[in-house]
Amino acid sequence: MTEHAIGNLDEFIDGEKELLSVGGIDIGVFRLDGEFHAWKNVCPHQGGPVCQGRIFKRVIDNLGPDKQQHGRAYDESQLHIVCPWHGAEFNIRTGIHAGIPELSLDPVEVFVRGEKVYVRVD
Ligand code: FES
């Protein structure tokens, strides 16, 4: 694993992402509530550029006993990235697919040292 500095801490806006190519690997780096999360920009479904997708709060369907939908709510604590190719949703903090827990993003180690942000890639 090789360590790469990818920028200064203040260059990463909370709630947003940066798409980078590091050591020949495309990655998405997300900053949420001050924490960093990084994933390879390859969707486990069919290889789409998942990190280029939009960020959404998790949608919670309010189903009644009749299994009919009675409105929606949004889980403020869970942000998802939605793959632009076919819409697969992944939890940005865990990388796990919203409906299929066996499916997950490929993690990239990301950390802060001093005022700089680093990743380790092969
Ligand atoms: S390639 Fe990402 S949802 Fe299909």
Side-chain angles (χ1 to χ4, degrees):
M1 292 278 190
T2 306
E3 195 173 292
H4 300 266
I6 57 170
N8 293 324
L9 200 49
D10 61 5
E11 294 174 51
F12 294 87
I13 299 167
D14 210 272
E16 296 190 12
K17 66 187 177 199
E18 293 289 332
L19 301 172
L20 305 166
S21 181
V22 181
I25 297 172
D26 292 332
I27 64 173
V29 178
F30 301 80
R31 186 176 187 181
L32 302 179
D33 298 326
E35 294 180 356
F36 284 86
H37 308 274
W39 308 101
K40 290 185 181 169
N41 191 18
V42 179
C43 181
H45 177 228
Q46 289 184 353
V50 60
C51 297
Q52 292 177 20
R54 293 184 61 191
I55 296 172
F56 287 96
K57 294 173 188 148
R58 179 177 176 223
V59 177
I60 302 168
D61 286 328
N62 181 16
L63 299 179
D66 55 356
K67 302 293 182 200
Q68 295 296 309
Q69 187 184 52
H70 300 281
R72 287 185 168 163
Y74 296 92
D75 184 337
E76 303 284 332
S77 69
Q78 292 193 43
L79 287 178
H80 288 176
I81 185 79
V82 181
C83 181
W85 278 13
H86 312 104
E89 288 186 37
F90 300 88
N91 183 308
I92 295 172
R93 288 185 169 85
T94 66
I96 296 173
H97 186 275
I100 307 169
E102 299 78 26
L103 206 58
S104 65
L105 301 176
D106 199 0
V108 173
E109 185 181 356
V110 59
F111 60 96
V112 175
R113 184 188 305 133
E115 291 301 311
K116 290 222 178 276
V117 183
Y118 297 83
V119 294
R120 284 194 184 104
V121 296
D122 293 329

